[in-house]
Amino acid sequence: MLLTLCRLVQGFSTGGEAGTAVAYLVEWAPEGRRGLYSSVSHATGVGGTLIAAGLAASLSTVLDSASLHAWGWRIPFLIGGLVIAPIGYYLRTKVDETPSFSAALRDDDATSRPMPNGPVWLHCLKAIAISSVWFVSYNVFMVYVPAFLPTHGHIRGGDALWITTVGFVGMLVCILAAGMLSDKMGRKPPLLVGAIGFIVCAYPIFLLFSTSSSVVLVLLAVLFCNALIGLIAGSCTAAIAEMFPTRVRTTGVSIGYGISVTVFGGFASVVSEALIKFTGSPLSSSYFVIATAVISLCVVLSLKETAHRPLVV
């Protein structure tokens, strides 16, 4: 019950901080570096998950099942509470507001100025649609697949955890690379490649997951999925932040991010398992990824490129 309560508090905190962190990094970024700066927010998030996955894999390897269930599961929580939490608190108490936000506060006409390219709610819907494939693919391939492989495939649970851990390393690198790439090429090309990649490859990848007993092949497939996720995550944050003016950027990003994470990402594992039970096919988990990739692709095609434009105040 205490762990559940702490997780709820953490969820509320993330809901308030995720959009703020993206807006903060985008507004501090030098011209032509917004993609890279904003990608850092999710690269560090993946880095935290990488540490967690590495700890889980290490503990499952070093400890027997009885020790892991008796006391070993407490170790990651102690590290998070005693080491990481104080660092986070220190950073949050020392940061300054961005120049863009300070300028918006001084602008008396900012609140009455109409939104560019449509109302806020429309931009929020676009943000939800664009990021839907990101959160579904992330939660399906990096959260659900480690349980899928030993249950519906032929990979042992311990090996599945190590595959996920290595996959997170690849994703972290791809997110940062995609952020830099989007500063050069624009936000739309990486988003389009990522969405099309999942539409074409999600089904055959799940076919491989359900039939192959080769750890190497499954690892390569996971790394490929993580490259596609990295392309989307590394460019999506800047694309969404640039859709909103400074006065509502944090709100817009937070709503788009939060709803997409909750509705699409949060239920990804449940939907994936429900599809398997409903259809009787382990490959049906790919349908959810494909559906959200189609939604994201359609919205991305309708977007105007914002990578090389100044931020709207």
Side-chain angles (χ1 to χ4, degrees):
M1 290 176 64
L2 286 173
L3 284 175
T4 302
L5 177 62
C6 289
R7 184 65 184 88
L8 288 171
V9 172
Q10 184 187 40
F12 286 121
S13 300
T14 301
E17 282 200 338
T20 305
V22 171
Y24 190 82
L25 289 169
V26 165
E27 291 173 9
W28 270 116
E31 198 65 33
R33 304 294 293 277
R34 294 196 298 261
L36 174 61
Y37 272 53
S38 63
S39 69
V40 170
S41 64
H42 296 293
T44 52
V46 170
T49 309
L50 171 62
I51 294 172
L55 280 172
S58 299
L59 289 172
S60 67
T61 302
V62 173
L63 300 177
D64 57 75
S65 180
S67 298
L68 186 62
H69 285 82
W71 56 269
W73 62 271
R74 292 180 171 87
I75 294 175
F77 293 99
L78 290 173
I79 294 174
L82 299 178
V83 179
I84 299 175
I87 297 173
Y89 176 78
Y90 174 82
L91 292 174
R92 284 158 179 76
T93 57
K94 299 298 181 181
V95 297
D96 296 321
E97 296 293 353
T98 66
S100 296
F101 182 77
S102 299
L105 287 179
R106 295 190 299 267
D107 187 351
D108 296 333
D109 298 327
T111 55
S112 60
R113 193 177 300 129
M115 276 283 296
N117 303 319
V120 175
W121 64 265
L122 180 59
H123 291 317
C124 289
L125 288 178
K126 288 182 178 180
I128 294 168
I130 294 168
S131 57
S132 62
V133 65
W134 168 17
F135 296 118
V136 167
S137 60
Y138 176 90
N139 282 277
V140 166
F141 289 108
M142 302 310 296
V143 178
Y144 173 66
V145 162
F148 174 94
L149 291 172
T151 304
H152 302 288
H154 306 282
I155 302 296
R156 295 186 302 111
D159 291 336
L161 286 173
W162 280 114
I163 287 172
T164 303
T165 302
V166 176
F168 276 124
V169 176
M171 186 190 299
L172 192 154
V173 174
C174 289
I175 288 174
L176 294 174
M180 290 188 288
L181 183 66
S182 73
D183 284 329
K184 302 294 184 182
M185 298 180 59
R187 315 297 180 213
K188 294 179 68 172
L191 291 173
L192 292 173
V193 171
I196 293 171
F198 279 121
I199 292 172
V200 174
C201 299
Y203 187 88
I205 285 173
F206 263 95
L207 178 62
L208 174 68
F209 287 162
S210 62
T211 58
S212 178
S213 59
S214 170
V215 173
V216 174
L217 282 178
V218 172
L219 173 60
L220 290 175
V222 168
L223 287 173
F224 175 75
C225 292
N226 285 353
L228 294 178
I229 296 170
L231 279 175
I232 297 170
S235 51
C236 189
T237 47
I240 292 175
E242 291 165 350
M243 290 166 56
F244 299 93
T246 301
R247 62 185 184 274
V248 293
R249 182 168 294 118
T250 295
T251 301
V253 174
S254 296
I255 291 174
Y257 181 95
I259 292 178
S260 189
V261 166
T262 304
V263 175
F264 292 100
F267 289 95
S269 296
V270 176
V271 171
S272 296
E273 195 65 21
L275 284 171
I276 292 176
K277 291 182 179 179
F278 180 75
T279 63
S281 170
L283 306 183
S284 60
S285 298
S286 64
Y287 300 159
F288 192 30
V289 178
I290 294 171
T292 53
V294 171
I295 294 172
S296 179
L297 177 64
C298 293
V299 177
V300 171
L301 287 171
S302 70
L303 290 180
K304 292 183 179 180
E305 185 58 70
T306 57
H308 306 117
R309 297 181 181 180
L311 287 175
V312 179
V313 177

